[in-house]
């Protein structure tokens, strides 16, 4: 089947694929929904194996794909459910390390090709870090193709023993239209009022409240911003294990920071922001970075992982863990409207260079073809 065809060739059955998702990563979940929609539109039969809550959040069934509930666990019951779902698949495509490992277990003894996409780097310390390295090695040596969403993930897969590792074309899934019919300026004012930003600068960070996000460094930087007039408000959207620690610091140090929990209106938050902040210790194709550049919001980000390749010269990059550099970059941008305008314009150009959703689907289908089409005799 041609990657760009809309239906299976005459006399052939449609390609049957299973997408396996762990359900714990928003970027990979949105990617799978976009991929499922594009594949179904091209005549591919798609089954998405993911926890029920992931289907509720991303509506895989609404793309025309079949959804099969598979818990985010590698216990025998979950693996058996996945094995049954993959029984008639021509190809299985797993997203993320844990989903990929479950797929390896489910396909044991079968010749079904396995494609793996790494959207992020698994993180752990101590004995668990050793276990994750073993899982990575098992997965990449089993997979026919490993796709990494950044060049360092591709390099990591090759070092770990992948037979075929490639850079993934991953387009930013389109945003669902807002149901708010207010004009943009009125929406911006409404969001800023809700967040308590007043007339001062509004700085937005989005991501789980976990250690690797670097929010402790962001709070360190926020101490310096208390000296500005007006004082910028930092709003962090997300949930996670570090909420009690961050809340305590914000209260004890009287920092101009608000934790607003998980939000479904990130585009509206960005539209109201003066700057976007990305302070993680590692990122691949950060959804926040992409959304910020698309929204023409100046971005300050850590120079880690795939971020430099992703944003090019369209963001201010600072070393991870350097609160002083982060604070200084923000202060400079808030005082320099011309530099902010430069970043907005370069952000639009950089975003235009990223793969589209159609290009993402085309790349994936070409790989599926390689792995499933009969090869001509020499």
């Amino acid at each position: 089947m041609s990657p760009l065809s809309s239906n299976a060739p005459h006399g052939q059955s449609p390609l049957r694929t299973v997408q396996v998702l762990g359900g714990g990563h928003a970027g990979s979940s949105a990617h799978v929904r976009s991929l499922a929609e594009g594949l179904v539109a091209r005549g591919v039969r798609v089954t998405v194996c993911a926890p029920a809550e992931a289907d509720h959040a991303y509506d895989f069934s609404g793309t025309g794909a079949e959804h099969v509930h598979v818990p985010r666990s590698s216990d025998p019951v979950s693996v058996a459910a996945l094995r049954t779902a993959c029984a008639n698949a021509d190809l299985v495509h797993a997203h993320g390390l844990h989903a990929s490992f479950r797929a390896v277990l489910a396909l044991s003894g079968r010749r079904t090709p396995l494609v793996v996409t790494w959207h992020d780097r698994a993180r752990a310390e101590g004995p668990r870090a050793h276990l994750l390295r073993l899982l990575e090695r098992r997965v990449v040596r089993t997979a026919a193709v490993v796709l990494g969403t950044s060049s360092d993930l591709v390099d990591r897969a090759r070092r770990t023993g992948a037979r075929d590792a490639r850079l993934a074309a991953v387009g930013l899934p389109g945003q669902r239209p807002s149901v708010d019919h207010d004009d943009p300026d009125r929406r911006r004012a409404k969001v800023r009022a809700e967040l308590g930003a007043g007339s001062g600068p509004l700085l937005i960070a989005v991501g789980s409240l976990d250690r690797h996000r670097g929010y402790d460094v962001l709070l360190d930087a926020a101490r310096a911003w208390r000296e500005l007039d007006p004082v910028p408000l930092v709003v962090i959207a997300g949930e996670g294990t570090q909420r009690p620690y961050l809340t305590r610091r914000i209260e004890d140090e009287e920092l101009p920071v608000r934790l607003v929990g998980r939000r479904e209106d990130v585009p509206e938050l960005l539209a109201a922001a003066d700057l976007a902040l990305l302070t993680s210790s590692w990122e691949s194709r950060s959804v926040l970075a992409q959304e910020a550049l698309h929204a023409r919001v100046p971005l300050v980000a850590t120079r880690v992982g795939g971020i430099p390749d992703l944003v090019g010269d369209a963001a201010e990059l600072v070393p991870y863990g350097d609160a002083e550099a982060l604070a200084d970059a923000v202060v400079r941008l808030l005082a320099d409207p011309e530099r902010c305008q430069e970043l907005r314009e370069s952000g639009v150009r950089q975003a235009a260079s990223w793969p589209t959703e159609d290009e993402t689907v085309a790349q994936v289908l070409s790989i599926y073809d390689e792995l499933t089409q009969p090869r001509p005799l020499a």
Side-chain angles (χ1 to χ4, degrees), residues 1-8 14-20 31-48 60 63-66 91-95 115 117 147 357-369 372:
M1 182 174 63
S2 166
L4 300 179
S5 64
S6 58
N7 293 290
L15 184 69
R16 297 164 299 182
T17 71
V18 174
Q19 306 289 322
V20 185
H31 171 67
V32 168
R33 189 193 193 282
S34 172
L35 194 58
E37 188 169 37
L39 292 172
V40 169
R42 289 161 175 78
V44 178
R45 290 179 57 183
V46 178
T47 298
V48 178
F60 303 120
T63 67
E66 177 187 3
L91 180 142
V92 174
H93 189 165
H95 301 263
V115 176
T117 296
L147 296 172
E357 290 183 87
D358 282 346
E359 289 168 341
T360 300
V361 175
Q363 184 205 37
V364 167
L365 264 178
S366 69
I367 293 170
Y368 292 179
D369 279 349
T372 60

Side-chain angles (χ1 to χ4, degrees), residues 121-153:
R121 189 176 68 185
R123 301 174 184 84
E125 299 176 358
R128 181 167 170 76
H130 177 66
L131 173 61
L132 289 181
R133 285 194 294 271
L134 294 177
L135 297 186
E136 284 184 347
R137 189 174 300 118
R138 175 78 180 275
V139 165
V140 301
R141 293 182 178 182
T142 302
V145 175
V146 178
L147 296 172
T149 57
S150 63
S151 57
D152 56 334
L153 284 177

